[in-house]
Amino acid sequence: TTADGKYLVSLGSLSNVSSDRYVYVWDLASGVPLKRLPFRGFAISNDGQHVAIEASHQGPVAVMNVLTEKRLIELQPHGGGTAYADFNSDGSQLATTGQDNVIRIWNVASGAKTHEIKKAGRASPSPVSFCDSDRCLVFSTGDAIIQRIDIASGATVTQMRYSGSNAPWQNVVLSPDGLVLASPSRDLI
């Protein structure tokens, strides 16, 4: 929800989230969608004010104010297109990943790339999330590995193999205390 509690921002229609990646803004009082932004959405800031969108097919990622629809910045796309993104807790940074096996971290205010982490020898990173008070990133790879990496050094902090699902993982989230990791796929959590 937005900071004022008036709107809910979603990536996809609430009735069909799995196949619809457009950005919707809903009026919480009436439950009615106010607008559908015709962009593929990647991430919503915690305050609900900004979304990371695909500006054009396999093109740049833009950070947009959801209420005014003003684009704040555009960021270099990943080779093969950007696949996933996540805002840090205060919305000042955005992590992006794509088919080029690279995770980039961007300063949202300036558009400057602050970190680039290359993961050679692994399948392309899929969903990525900030964790550990925004000091680390956690992500899953296509080869059944979940990694937590330190942003400043790029070093792996934790790595584990997951099992039980044949479907791709759709997100990775670590609890605030760092003890519980949730990673849903299409067939289980």
Side-chain angles (χ1 to χ4, degrees), residues 59-189:
V61 172
V63 175
M64 173 187 282
N65 180 300
V66 295
L67 298 177
T68 66
E69 298 183 35
K70 179 182 176 192
R71 291 186 189 188
L72 306 175
I73 56 168
E74 285 198 1
L75 309 170
Q76 169 189 358
H78 287 264
T82 301
Y84 297 94
D86 186 47
F87 285 97
N88 71 338
S89 58
D90 68 4
S92 64
Q93 297 180 72
L94 181 73
T96 61
T97 185
Q99 299 304 316
D100 56 5
N101 213 20
V102 172
I103 298 170
R104 294 185 185 122
I105 302 175
W106 307 89
N107 178 301
V108 172
S110 69
K113 180 173 47 176
T114 61
H115 294 86
E116 183 169 282
I117 301 165
K118 296 180 183 182
K119 299 311 270 183
R122 298 205 178 279
S124 296
S126 49
V128 61
S129 295
F130 283 93
C131 62
D132 298 331
S133 301
D134 299 333
R135 293 185 319 266
C136 293
L137 293 171
V138 62
F139 61 91
S140 64
T141 67
D143 55 358
I145 300 289
I146 294 175
Q147 284 191 318
R148 184 169 50 134
I149 57 173
D150 178 80
I151 293 170
S153 69
T156 299
V157 176
T158 307
Q159 178 172 299
M160 65 182 182
R161 182 166 290 282
Y162 60 79
S163 62
S165 174
N166 294 323
W169 295 86
Q170 296 175 328
N171 201 352
V172 178
V173 180
L174 196 63
S175 66
D177 63 8
L179 299 176
V180 178
L181 180 126
S183 189
S185 70
R186 286 188 212 119
D187 61 358
L188 71 108
I189 295 179

